[in-house]
Amino acid sequence: MLTEDRKAAVAAYKERKVVAGIYLVRCGATGACWAGQAPDLSTIKNRVWFTLRHGSHRQRSLQAAWKAHGESAFVFEALERLDEKALEAGRERVMKARLAHWCAELGAEGL
């Protein structure tokens, strides 16, 4: 029975719709924010939080703020979801342009 449940869960995961987009990590204690792009918005928070918890995030200013203020001071939000039609003009170019837009709009550092 457990094997069937596991197989069904794996199949559902593989069939889910992946949505690319732009996300924001904000420090409530300082107001500082960092924006990034992700090919799958549903999984990026776990990856970012994992690297921050282990002290291995490549963005030093974010890692330093995390260390100074702790996990509870941070929030994650999806800023923009990009559908396949929006990405037809060139995935990398579109993602880079949207990230630049949000960094400028919010005064965020890029990730």
Side-chain angles (χ1 to χ4, degrees):
M1 185 73 154
L2 290 177
T3 303
E4 291 173 12
D5 291 342
R6 186 178 192 293
K7 286 180 182 178
V10 169
Y13 178 80
K14 288 180 179 179
E15 292 174 12
R16 81 196 194 316
K17 183 170 170 73
V18 174
V19 178
I22 309 301
Y23 65 92
L24 186 76
V25 175
R26 184 184 313 268
C27 177
T30 64
C33 53
W34 298 263
Q37 61 181 344
D40 185 355
L41 283 174
S42 70
T43 61
I44 191 65
K45 179 184 177 187
N46 287 339
R47 189 173 84 199
V48 172
W49 260 230
F50 179 85
T51 58
L52 288 167
R53 285 181 189 130
H54 289 87
S56 61
H57 198 281
R58 61 185 171 84
Q59 179 64 285
R60 291 182 184 199
S61 61
L62 174 55
Q63 187 67 63
W66 181 277
K67 184 176 179 183
H69 303 289
E71 182 174 347
S72 63
F74 288 83
V75 293
F76 175 92
E77 68 183 273
L79 291 175
E80 183 173 6
R81 298 176 189 282
L82 301 168
D83 61 13
E84 287 303 314
K85 185 164 178 76
L87 298 172
E88 286 175 359
R91 178 176 287 272
E92 282 300 312
R93 187 178 60 75
V94 171
M95 295 283 281
K96 187 176 180 180
R98 298 311 300 155
L99 178 59
H101 162 79
W102 284 108
C103 285
E105 180 83 15
L106 300 172
E109 286 186 56
L111 292 175

